[in-house]
Amino acid sequence: MDAGPGDFNYVFYTLYRERPYRAFQRGEFPWRTLCLFGGYPLQADPQSALFDPGVWLTLFFSWVRGTPHVSMDIFHVESLIHLWIAAVLAYIFLRREVGNRWGALLGALVFAFGGYMTGYPILQVAKGESTAWLPLFLLGLRDLADGRIPRGLLLGGLGGALMILTGDPQIAFYILLGGTAYYAFRCAQSRLPWLPAVQRLGLLGLLLAGTTAVPLLPPLEYQQHSTRVRLGRPGLLLVRDPWYPDWTASVNGQPAPLDRADGVLMAVALPAGESEVVFRFRPPSFLVGAGISLVTIAFLWPWVLWRSARRP
């Protein structure tokens, strides 16, 4: 497949696969991407998808092949595999929904290869990869509404988490909104009282929020940027970034007070001569999000798996 110039090559390959790959090769975590003039915090961009297992596999197999750059072939495979994931999951969901294997097969083929996922989303990779997990998410919601709570949490939590981690908040929002409407419809069909219905959906939401806390809690850039300045006399360096309490600055390796300039920007006083100024953004919410994700993965997911193994 030759995607040609466009979002597939210039954005999702270069920015969200190649630049993190180079950072990992240097033994660094890709906090920042050097593009758009001075660059910007990569983790502030939800489409970076650095916590998505699909991205991990693309980077890992490129590393196994020993390529200096991310393998474009492997990236093509990553994108195409999600089309087949979408088809298989859609068949499983529709098979249960309509009860007819030929109808389910036709619906699955239309969903995965009928034009939507093979059109714009194949270039906007995150949109296609997020959409691929929609049927698994709906399967989980169906099980929740039908009383198969452990399996519903397992399937819905897995599908929803992967959908969010692939890095397209717009598609994730639409799927969550549509999934909630589908869940309400299924609960009405099964005449499930509203209180247990809300409780089950709330537990699934807790599972999703905890699992995806790191990429969801903004801001996630947790980055630093530096500059060198040479002044003939003491002066003030004005930075065109919004002032925020979690920013810190150092001048020549020593902590320096960070002032607010023009009401909204950052400024730091500098001595005469050459200075190296480093700005760091270390939001507590990053550590909070990481802690929530670790606790959820370590405790809540094992409970869901244990319940799923015990009950149908």
Side-chain angles (χ1 to χ4, degrees):
M1 181 181 73
D2 182 11
D7 289 338
F8 190 92
N9 281 346
Y10 292 161
V11 178
F12 288 92
Y13 173 79
T14 302
L15 186 57
Y16 301 135
R17 301 302 188 275
E18 175 64 15
R19 294 186 183 277
Y21 184 68
R22 292 185 186 181
F24 286 129
Q25 285 180 318
R26 297 192 300 267
E28 303 172 358
F29 188 82
W31 299 116
R32 188 172 184 80
T33 182
L34 298 178
C35 65
L36 301 176
F37 304 105
Y40 71 95
L42 183 60
Q43 288 308 294
D45 187 343
Q47 288 187 301
S48 64
L50 279 177
F51 299 93
D52 175 29
V55 175
W56 295 349
L57 291 175
T58 295
L59 302 184
F60 173 75
F61 285 115
S62 296
W63 174 76
V64 168
R65 291 183 61 179
T67 59
H69 306 282
V70 171
S71 170
M72 180 62 81
D73 292 337
I74 294 176
F75 186 36
H76 287 165
V77 171
E78 175 198 332
S79 182
L80 292 174
I81 281 178
H82 280 81
L83 293 179
W84 288 101
I85 290 174
V88 172
L89 293 178
Y91 175 80
I92 296 172
F93 170 70
L94 292 173
R95 184 73 173 85
R96 289 185 57 192
E97 192 72 19
V98 302
N100 182 285
R101 65 174 182 272
W102 294 111
L105 178 61
L106 179 61
L109 291 175
V110 170
F111 174 69
F113 305 106
Y116 167 69
M117 290 192 65
T118 55
Y120 182 58
I122 204 69
L123 297 179
Q124 284 276 337
V125 177
K127 294 188 181 299
E129 295 188 359
S130 294
T131 307
W133 300 107
L134 167 63
L136 183 61
F137 183 59
L138 295 180
L139 274 171
L141 291 174
R142 180 188 173 96
D143 281 338
L144 281 181
D146 292 346
R148 292 181 286 269
I149 298 176
R151 191 170 73 177
L153 291 175
L154 178 62
L155 298 180
L158 183 61
L162 290 171
M163 170 194 69
I164 295 171
L165 292 174
T166 48
D168 194 289
Q170 183 183 40
I171 294 297
F173 174 75
Y174 290 152
I175 290 177
L176 291 173
L177 193 63
T180 302
Y182 170 76
Y183 175 73
F185 169 75
R186 292 295 309 180
C187 289
Q189 275 196 327
S190 60
R191 300 185 181 276
L192 181 67
W194 70 269
L195 184 57
V198 171
Q199 289 174 338
R200 296 173 190 180
L201 190 63
L203 187 55
L204 177 61
L206 180 64
L207 193 65
L208 288 178
T211 305
T212 61
V214 172
L216 284 182
L217 284 181
L220 295 179
E221 52 265 48
Y222 196 75
Q223 53 83 46
Q224 72 177 32
H225 64 86
S226 63
T227 185
R228 289 185 179 273
V229 181
R230 178 176 294 172
L231 300 178
R233 60 182 181 179
L236 197 67
L237 174 64
L238 179 65
V239 182
R240 294 182 180 275
D241 279 330
W243 182 91
Y244 195 74
D246 293 328
W247 281 99
T248 62
S250 63
V251 177
N252 298 324
Q254 300 297 320
L258 193 59
D259 301 317
R260 187 183 301 204
D262 296 334
V264 294
L265 303 179
M266 298 189 298
V268 61
L270 300 179
E274 184 172 316
S275 301
E276 181 180 16
V277 186
V278 178
F279 297 91
R280 292 182 175 87
F281 192 64
R282 297 294 186 263
S285 59
F286 180 87
L287 298 178
V288 172
I292 293 174
S293 292
L294 289 175
V295 170
T296 302
I297 293 171
F299 296 102
L300 192 53
W301 272 106
W303 177 81
V304 170
L305 294 172
W306 176 71
R307 291 293 300 270
S308 300
R310 291 191 58 193
R311 295 173 56 184

